[in-house]
Amino acid sequence: MATQQQRMEEPATKEAAQQSTTDPAVLAAVGSVLLAQYQYFMRGNKMMGIFIGLWAPTFLSFASYFNQRRMEEKLSSVGPSRIMNSLEQMLSSR
């Protein structure tokens, strides 16, 4: 039987998954992989295919960096005292 908290987290998880699949960085990474395969296999231009294939991890690493920066800014706006209080409340309820 699902608890109230699990039912509340489920829509948030689905929303996060939908946002991550439509993220421009993910779409750019997928596009670069497809373009790399086209260059490598269809056109026979192996060097260009490898070069374009290296774009995907670059796009994803930039996206990860900016996502971490955004999370850091949100955490700093909350403040350390509120975070500690939240953690203490979570641990005391167990």
Side-chain angles (χ1 to χ4, degrees):
M1 193 169 190
T3 65
Q4 179 70 17
Q5 184 180 6
Q6 288 174 333
R7 281 184 258 148
M8 289 175 60
E9 289 176 357
E10 194 171 301
T13 305
K14 287 181 183 178
E15 182 180 330
Q18 289 173 347
Q19 287 177 350
S20 66
T21 57
T22 59
D23 187 22
V26 173
L27 296 176
V30 170
S32 71
V33 169
L34 294 175
L35 183 60
Q37 288 179 343
Y38 172 75
Q39 286 288 332
Y40 193 89
F41 293 112
M42 302 299 249
R43 298 204 57 206
N45 194 350
K46 295 182 188 273
M47 292 299 284
M48 183 60 77
I50 292 171
F51 175 70
I52 295 171
L54 293 173
W55 294 354
T58 305
F59 292 147
L60 295 175
S61 64
F62 276 123
S64 175
Y65 170 76
F66 288 119
N67 190 27
Q68 288 176 4
R69 291 290 302 235
R70 186 175 54 231
M71 289 187 324
E72 183 181 313
E73 289 172 4
K74 285 182 181 180
L75 284 175
S76 66
S77 69
V78 171
S81 62
R82 291 190 62 190
I83 294 172
M84 291 301 293
N85 290 339
S86 298
L87 289 174
E88 288 173 1
Q89 286 176 354
M90 286 175 22
L91 294 174
S92 65
S93 66
R94 288 185 175 199

